Amino acid sequence: MQAEKRETTMDRVSKGLARRYRRERWFRLFGLSAIVTSVCFIALLFVSIGANGWSAFQQTEVLLDIHFDKEQFDVDNLSTANYGALVKNSMQALFPDVTGRSDKRELNKLVSSGASYVLQKMVIKDTGIIGSTKKIWLPADDEVDMFLKGYISRDVAESARRLNDKQIGWIDQLVAEGRLEKKFNTIFFTAGDSREPELAGIRGAVAGSLFTLAVTLLLSFPIGVATAVYLEEFAPRNRWTDLVEVNINNLAAVPSIVFGLLGLAVFLNVFGMPRSAPLVGGLVLTLMTLPTIIIASRASLKSVPPSIREAALGVGASKMQAITHHILPLAMPGMMTGTIIGMAQALGETAPLLMIGMVAFIVDVPHGVTDPATVLPVQIYLWADSPERAFVERTSAAIMVLLGFLISMNAIAVFLRRKFERRW
Amino acid sequence: MWKKGLTLATASIILASAAVNVYAASGRDYISIVGSSTVYPFATTVAEQFGKTSKFKTPKIESTGSGGGMKLFCAGSDIDTPDITNASRRIKFSEYEKCQKNGVNEIVEVKIGYDGIVLANSKAAPQMTLSKKDIFFALAKEVPDPQGGEKLIANPYTTWKEVNPSLPDTKIEVLGPPPTSGTRDAFVELAMEGGCSKVDWIKALKETDKKYYKSVCHTVREDGAYVEAGENDNLIVQKLEANPKALGIFGFSFLDQNGDKIQGSVVEGELPTFENIAAGKYPVSRPLYFYVKKSHVGVVPGMTEFLGEFINDKAWGEEGYLSDKGLIPMPAEERKQFAADVVALKPLVMSK
């Protein structure tokens, strides 16, 4: 063997160096590309929802001179008077040259059927306006709305659109007169569900979601924390507690529809609770979120250093005092984070609610936990399935509201953790 | 904290049970409706109108599917069972029997109108002209051997031209609902079976071996030419726009709403238009029903009035608000007869 051929350790290291650097770069690149891909998908989701949905926050309204004709009203017909006729008369006054039954019908279709309810509410609130003439912005029909927002093109053949050439002529005239404008869509935030897109709102679904989550929170937080404290601080380590622990972890992985079936069998059939009620929805979602909360709570109890526990016991605190005065306050931020994440999951759930009748058309905004109600994700599902074109943008708008709730809940969780978490 | 939590939990359980008791004592002050997702858009429109123009609460309508609705409806006659169930097909004898067994003895059947099932494609592609036979040969799992003889072979056709030389030379690609859907049931029964029975020897099977006949006519191919696109018809419409070569199967109201993007195919020489379906010329259309629990009429407030709203010509008539939503009205004569049955609350009698 000759001397120059002998390899030193350094030689061997530097030979492999380039390869090692290359592999390191690939490794980093792999991680980076994973993140970039997922960010791209999220951006795509947000952009497509935003692009579809932003226009739903505006609604076309039409300015009409409504004459509250004295003839139409008397003392006891304030809620049943022919408000539709008031709207029709004022449309007729705007277009005096439209005659013939079918033309008039086409003309009246430009105003939403909900316009008469707006007038009804005004009269019931203030009977003094009877006899006067007022300029009022009323919701336009969803077809008109879609046309003004550019979703219906005027270039396609007349038979292929739902607005005919005459109607488009009338719309152009109204726009020229400044009587047809896009305004902020307050109905979307103040009304319950409706089959008419221009009258449909998410208030009923939001209220239903809040009631359901309130029940879930009231039940799952105390039960979850109590379970975690018992298992972590009091329970002996034996086969039974192992079994309980395995089952809790299993429950966290059970598909949510199973909890719905359980709710149907137990809460509805055995206890006879009402269908479609946020109370039952909350109970079912409690079952679903409990494992999440228990697991998070146990983890945060475990992370409290044993020295604190021992110090408390050492100065003479009872076990309960040690837990309630020292351990729980320190573990609380972690428990709250787990709870909020569990709540956010519950907020987005539809499958278990299907079985207990919360996938339903409910117009009236619920006022309690036993009123029939639906929740936000269910509302999105129902709108996504509706034939009317204008529900497409409303679906996206409702998704934006739901995402808003989810993001703010997660932000609160992060904030709580940052603010109260103690590191040792 | 943990004491507080315990108190809260106890308080909420007590509150909840109190609320349930109040509910049970007061009965129900709104109408509860379940059933078909096809009837859902029409029933909800009537319900909303009813809620806004009457002194009663707006009925609650669940979209459970026809079969699921029947199951809930026939579960019993207690006040917490639904009052009305919607169906995109007629009640089956087995369901009727179950109803009878559970004490739901008197059911009033109401037909509300018709729904057309359309085959449509993007406006960017040429319009298709199909016969029921073409539909069967393009979509069945097994078809008669083109070599002749009374033998079935796995569907060999990959393009429309192979099925029928007058059709375009494009790949067979049909997006349609899954087997759980009522639309699929109706499509298979009306279009596929209709085409299947054009083959003489299969038609003869109907007399001799009905089960086999049904399985031949009702089985849709699973080799990728028929794509199950889920229950959401809006999704199918969007996919058709993106893929002009594909055909989609869905309810008429979706064609009606998207007439600027998609076109209906001619079936048996008829276009799926409102007029053609209403006149009974378009062959793939089915009746829609709802069923009323007679024992709840007069118990749940507003039942009679709600039925009255439904059978009013301003709702289900030719120019009614339901026709704006895409429901095909029944002829005046048929409407009159069903309206009379509803007013008299004539119970349905079925025999095997």
Side-chain angles (χ1 to χ4, degrees):
Chain A
M1 252 202 214
Q2 292 192 336
E4 65 260 34
K5 277 203 175 172
R6 194 182 294 144
E7 267 184 341
T8 62
T9 318
M10 251 349 264
D11 283 339
R12 252 187 290 165
V13 167
S14 33
K15 211 192 257 169
L17 210 53
R19 196 168 50 97
R20 279 168 62 198
Y21 275 133
R22 200 171 57 236
R23 288 177 78 174
E24 173 120 3
R25 270 201 306 278
W26 275 111
F27 189 64
R28 278 176 56 183
L29 205 67
F30 187 66
L32 189 68
S33 62
I35 289 180
V36 169
T37 322
S38 47
V39 166
C40 279
F41 275 120
I42 290 183
L44 188 72
L45 174 79
F46 281 5
V47 167
S48 77
I49 289 172
N52 272 329
W54 71 271
S55 55
F57 294 113
Q58 285 196 315
Q59 159 69 33
T60 307
E61 294 188 4
V62 53
L63 180 68
L64 292 180
D65 308 317
I66 301 284
H67 175 54
F68 291 93
D69 195 349
K70 272 199 179 109
E71 307 271 296
Q72 298 276 8
F73 298 95
D74 57 55
V75 184
D76 46 37
N77 80 341
L78 288 183
S79 59
T80 54
N82 193 352
Y83 293 97
L86 300 182
V87 177
K88 280 178 190 161
N89 289 342
S90 73
M91 280 302 269
Q92 191 62 48
L94 280 178
F95 297 95
D97 46 337
V98 175
T99 50
R101 196 168 166 274
S102 72
D103 275 3
K104 277 186 187 171
R105 223 174 104 84
E106 299 292 320
L107 178 66
N108 290 327
K109 270 189 189 167
L110 298 183
V111 185
S112 164
S113 61
S116 47
Y117 309 128
V118 177
L119 300 182
Q120 180 192 13
K121 268 189 207 147
M122 287 181 71
V123 170
I124 289 175
K125 207 166 132 197
D126 176 18
T127 48
I129 58 175
I130 295 172
S132 65
T133 302
K134 278 196 170 345
K135 277 184 185 293
I136 303 167
W137 286 97
L138 293 167
D141 190 64
D142 56 316
E143 309 284 351
V144 178
D145 190 39
M146 288 290 100
F147 180 74
L148 280 200
K149 286 175 181 167
Y151 290 109
I152 298 175
S153 158
R154 64 174 77 212
D155 301 330
V156 294
E158 189 177 8
S159 61
R161 349 179 190 97
R162 283 175 62 84
L163 288 172
N164 61 31
D165 289 344
K166 261 187 202 158
Q167 284 174 313
I168 289 178
W170 295 326
I171 292 173
D172 289 341
Q173 192 181 332
L174 284 171
V175 172
E177 287 172 14
R179 283 180 177 274
L180 207 54
E181 267 176 28
K182 281 187 274 183
K183 304 210 154 198
F184 181 71
N185 192 353
T186 45
I187 295 174
F188 185 72
F189 296 98
T190 55
D193 196 6
S194 169
R195 284 302 307 160
E196 305 299 330
E198 71 272 15
L199 304 177
I202 51 165
R203 185 156 159 220
V206 168
S209 273
L210 291 180
F211 280 123
T212 311
L213 283 187
V215 174
T216 310
L217 184 65
L218 281 179
L219 290 173
S220 64
F221 184 65
I223 297 177
V225 171
T227 314
V229 167
Y230 179 78
L231 283 177
E232 211 44 51
E233 305 289 336
F234 293 101
R237 291 267 170 273
N238 61 23
R239 210 183 292 163
W240 291 111
T241 45
D242 280 350
L243 191 72
V244 169
E245 194 168 339
V246 167
N247 274 307
I248 289 172
N249 290 334
N250 271 342
L251 272 184
V254 166
S256 54
I257 185 86
V258 177
F259 291 111
L261 285 166
L262 182 82
L264 174 69
V266 177
F267 300 128
L268 295 188
N269 295 348
V270 178
F271 294 146
M273 289 181 175
R275 270 182 85 80
S276 316
L279 174 65
V280 185
L283 286 169
V284 169
L285 293 177
T286 299
L287 296 177
M288 212 194 76
T289 46
L290 261 181
T292 316
I293 296 179
I294 294 173
I295 291 169
S297 302
R298 290 189 67 182
S300 68
L301 283 172
K302 256 190 204 134
S303 70
V304 175
S307 55
I308 295 204
R309 203 168 283 133
E310 280 152 18
L313 295 176
V315 296
S318 70
K319 191 145 194 192
M320 186 173 152
Q321 282 171 330
I323 292 169
T324 52
H325 295 172
H326 300 281
I327 300 170
L328 267 187
L330 289 172
M332 202 40 82
M335 293 178 168
M336 303 253 253
T337 312
T339 308
I340 293 173
I341 288 171
M343 288 293 125
Q345 256 172 26
L347 176 65
E349 204 54 70
T350 47
L353 304 179
L354 184 75
M355 308 309 299
I356 55 167
M358 288 184 86
V359 180
F361 176 73
I362 290 151
V363 174
D364 303 325
V365 177
H367 292 292
V369 289
T370 52
D371 283 350
T374 185
V375 294
L376 263 176
V378 169
Q379 190 67 74
I380 291 167
Y381 164 75
L382 288 173
W383 281 354
D385 215 13
S386 300
E388 289 83 3
R389 188 80 68 87
F391 272 123
V392 175
E393 56 168 29
R394 276 164 178 77
T395 309
S396 294
I399 294 172
M400 284 156 86
V401 172
L402 180 66
L403 283 177
F405 272 108
L406 287 174
I407 290 171
S408 44
M409 283 173 85
N410 286 327
I412 291 172
V414 171
F415 172 76
L416 283 177
R417 201 161 53 215
R418 286 269 164 79
K419 174 125 195 194
F420 296 109
E421 194 175 44
R422 292 266 295 270
R423 287 184 189 280
W424 286 282
Chain B
M1 191 72 210
W2 119 270
K3 254 193 243 163
K4 236 188 248 167
L6 202 69
T7 337
L8 261 177
T10 330
S12 57
I13 289 169
I14 291 170
L15 253 173
S17 50
V20 172
N21 287 339
V22 168
Y23 167 86
S26 68
R28 182 152 50 78
D29 59 352
Y30 56 89
I31 300 169
S32 165
I33 303 176
V34 293
S36 162
S37 54
T38 312
V39 186
Y40 174 88
F42 309 125
T44 45
T45 309
V46 178
E48 188 178 351
Q49 191 73 22
F50 171 74
K52 283 192 170 145
T53 54
S54 74
K55 61 182 198 296
F56 301 100
K57 279 197 175 176
T58 309
K60 178 192 87 183
I61 304 182
E62 285 178 45
S63 173
T64 61
S66 302
M70 285 292 175
K71 211 171 149 192
L72 288 166
F73 180 78
C74 291
S77 54
D78 300 344
I79 198 70
D80 53 354
T81 57
D83 311 313
I84 293 174
T85 184
N86 300 319
S88 56
R89 53 166 171 81
R90 206 164 178 230
I91 186 171
K92 287 179 190 159
F93 184 69
S94 58
E95 290 164 341
Y96 176 76
E97 253 182 336
K98 200 177 164 212
C99 258
Q100 299 290 330
K101 212 176 76 199
N102 290 340
V104 188
N105 297 321
E106 294 187 303
I107 311 166
V108 182
E109 181 183 64
V110 189
K111 196 200 241 183
I112 59 168
Y114 295 91
D115 176 38
I117 298 172
V118 301
L119 275 135
N121 61 357
S122 160
K123 283 221 152 158
Q127 192 167 41
M128 299 281 274
T129 305
L130 299 166
S131 68
K132 288 187 199 169
K133 204 171 164 185
D134 296 338
I135 296 172
F136 170 70
F137 275 85
L139 294 179
K141 190 175 181 191
E142 290 185 314
V143 292
D145 195 340
Q147 312 288 328
E150 298 188 358
K151 199 169 70 165
L152 289 169
I153 56 164
N155 197 327
Y157 305 112
T158 53
T159 68
W160 288 101
K161 204 182 172 81
E162 287 169 20
V163 173
N164 181 343
S166 69
L167 291 171
D169 191 12
T170 50
K171 217 178 115 207
I172 298 176
E173 193 180 355
V174 179
L175 307 167
T180 46
S181 146
T183 310
R184 162 85 167 253
D185 287 348
F187 174 78
V188 161
E189 206 161 291
L190 296 163
M192 296 220 354
E193 193 180 326
C196 179
S197 61
K198 296 270 165 68
V199 182
D200 291 335
W201 67 269
I202 298 183
K203 197 179 175 188
L205 275 179
K206 195 175 178 179
E207 308 299 323
T208 52
D209 189 351
K210 205 169 174 188
K211 238 185 184 162
Y212 182 57
Y213 167 79
K214 277 215 161 159
S215 89
V216 171
C217 293
H218 287 196
T219 313
V220 175
R221 64 198 291 185
E222 290 155 357
D223 56 357
Y226 181 89
V227 185
E228 279 171 14
E231 295 262 16
N232 190 328
D233 291 352
N234 270 325
L235 208 66
I236 300 185
V237 172
Q238 282 174 24
K239 284 184 180 162
L240 290 184
E241 249 189 291
N243 177 5
K245 282 184 185 141
L247 240 68
I249 300 170
F250 40 82
F252 171 73
S253 30
F254 288 85
L255 176 65
D256 191 33
Q257 287 283 337
N258 296 292
D260 53 341
K261 298 181 197 158
I262 49 173
Q263 56 189 351
S265 306
V266 177
V267 178
E268 298 286 338
E270 296 294 343
L271 258 176
T273 60
F274 187 87
E275 291 75 21
N276 278 347
I277 304 172
K281 284 190 207 154
Y282 182 74
V284 198
S285 84
R286 58 173 161 174
L288 303 176
Y289 298 91
F290 70 84
Y291 294 88
V292 185
K293 206 172 272 175
K294 193 175 169 182
S295 62
H296 285 195
V297 179
V299 178
V300 176
M303 283 286 279
T304 323
E305 290 80 358
F306 176 71
L307 295 175
E309 174 76 36
F310 224 123
I311 60 169
N312 194 324
D313 266 357
K314 87 177 200 276
W316 73 356
E318 265 117 30
E319 302 224 316
Y321 54 77
L322 286 179
S323 73
D324 287 339
K325 292 275 164 199
L327 179 79
I328 314 287
M330 293 183 278
E333 201 54 28
E334 216 178 346
R335 283 207 303 275
K336 218 166 121 189
Q337 183 220 320
F338 274 102
D341 285 358
V342 170
V343 171
L345 290 174
K346 190 175 136 199
L348 171 74
V349 181
M350 263 182 129
S351 52
K352 205 163 188 180

